[in-house]
Amino acid sequence: MTNHRLKLITTEDGSHSLLREDLNETYHSFHGARSESAYVFIEQCLHYYAEHTKKGPIRIFEVGFGTGLNAFLAAAYAAEHQLSLEFHTVEPFPVKPDIYRQLNFGQSEEERSLLNALHESGWESPRSITSRFSLVKYETTLEDFSATRDFDMIFFDAFAPSKQAEVWELTNLKKCFDLLQPGGILTTYCAQGQFKRNLAAAGFEVQTLKGAMGKKEMVRGVKN
Ligand SMILES: C[S@@+](CC[C@H](N)C(=O)[O-])C[C@H]1O[C@@H](n2cnc3c(N)ncnc32)[C@H](O)[C@@H]1O
């Protein structure tokens, strides 16, 4: 697939992110990559679900593996909370080693090895990354992904609708709805009006929550 030019940037909480130059779009909020991921996907999705619904094992589907930050934080959460996670993710444009090896998400040697292991685990088949965290990466788009799995949750982490409107379309959101088991949830940093209407049209109950890092709102969709 196409190689896009990526530039390493440092966000306001000190954590790295990437800028995709052709879209002029960053992989995370300028206000804090790590803080945003921790809030939108770990706190408002994984932690919320683990507290309210199910202790595990939990199956996660992610739209856009990118830097691996969400998988990295989820693996850390699994270790901290002694929870088993099965993490599936799609990514049509994998980040290359010369870039991901520079990412500063891990402070200790162990954490840096974890991030590298997530990137180097190969494609299309399950890998045990730690005793509590398994990973399957699919080198494809959400549009082309086919699976019949009943996921507990979806981390919807695509580029913004203003940059990649097609990823947020109703067909994709219906696919997400079908991928979830009853009671399953989806979160995203985006709270755009058309997206929320599409999410409701796909069958989700739409919850608008306080946003991360200076953003007014974020969204959680629930499959009731
Ligand atoms: C906002 S970035 C976030 C990535 C990642 N979750 C992270 O924390 O670094 C969006 C990601 O979605 C990927 N992407 C682009 N088009 C996609 C598509 N059609 N389906 C799934 N992912 C896509 C991009 O390559 C990019 O890695």
Side-chain angles (χ1 to χ4, degrees), residues 43-105:
E43 187 177 331
Q44 296 297 353
C45 197
L46 177 54
H47 184 65
Y48 173 85
Y49 190 86
E51 289 286 293
H52 291 87
T53 309
K54 188 175 163 192
K55 295 284 173 220
I58 288 176
R59 284 200 302 274
I60 303 172
F61 177 67
E62 178 187 47
V63 179
F65 178 71
T67 62
L69 179 55
N70 294 333
F72 176 79
L73 294 177
Y77 184 94
E80 189 185 337
H81 295 265
Q82 306 203 337
L83 184 70
S84 292
L85 300 182
E86 197 184 293
F87 196 100
H88 296 244
T89 180
V90 287
E91 177 53 67
F93 308 115
V95 174
K96 298 279 181 292
D98 59 322
I99 304 268
Y100 70 69
R101 288 199 187 123
Q102 295 182 61
L103 293 167
N104 68 355
F105 305 147

Side-chain angles (χ1 to χ4, degrees), residues 128-177:
S128 285
I129 304 293
T130 69
S131 60
R132 297 202 175 269
F133 190 87
S134 72
L135 177 68
V136 194
K137 293 190 294 181
Y138 307 86
E139 194 171 356
T140 188
T141 59
L142 172 60
E143 296 86 314
D144 290 339
F145 178 68
S146 59
T148 49
R149 280 198 164 269
D150 285 338
F151 290 101
D152 293 295
M153 68 190 63
I154 297 177
F155 294 177
F156 200 96
D157 200 11
F159 288 127
S162 56
K163 305 291 172 148
Q164 278 204 312
E166 70 281 6
V167 186
W168 302 79
E169 277 174 8
L170 183 56
T171 330
N172 268 356
L173 300 178
K174 280 187 177 154
K175 177 183 268 189
C176 287
F177 188 81

Side-chain angles (χ1 to χ4, degrees), residues 154-210:
I154 297 177
F155 294 177
F156 200 96
D157 200 11
F159 288 127
S162 56
K163 305 291 172 148
Q164 278 204 312
E166 70 281 6
V167 186
W168 302 79
E169 277 174 8
L170 183 56
T171 330
N172 268 356
L173 300 178
K174 280 187 177 154
K175 177 183 268 189
C176 287
F177 188 81
D178 292 341
L179 284 172
L180 287 170
Q181 59 173 306
I185 61 175
L186 169 155
T187 61
T188 182
Y189 63 87
C190 173
Q192 189 221 44
Q194 185 58 51
F195 162 64
K196 289 203 274 186
R197 288 190 288 279
N198 285 349
L199 202 61
F204 286 94
E205 175 199 320
V206 179
Q207 299 177 350
T208 303
L209 311 173
K210 184 179 164 297

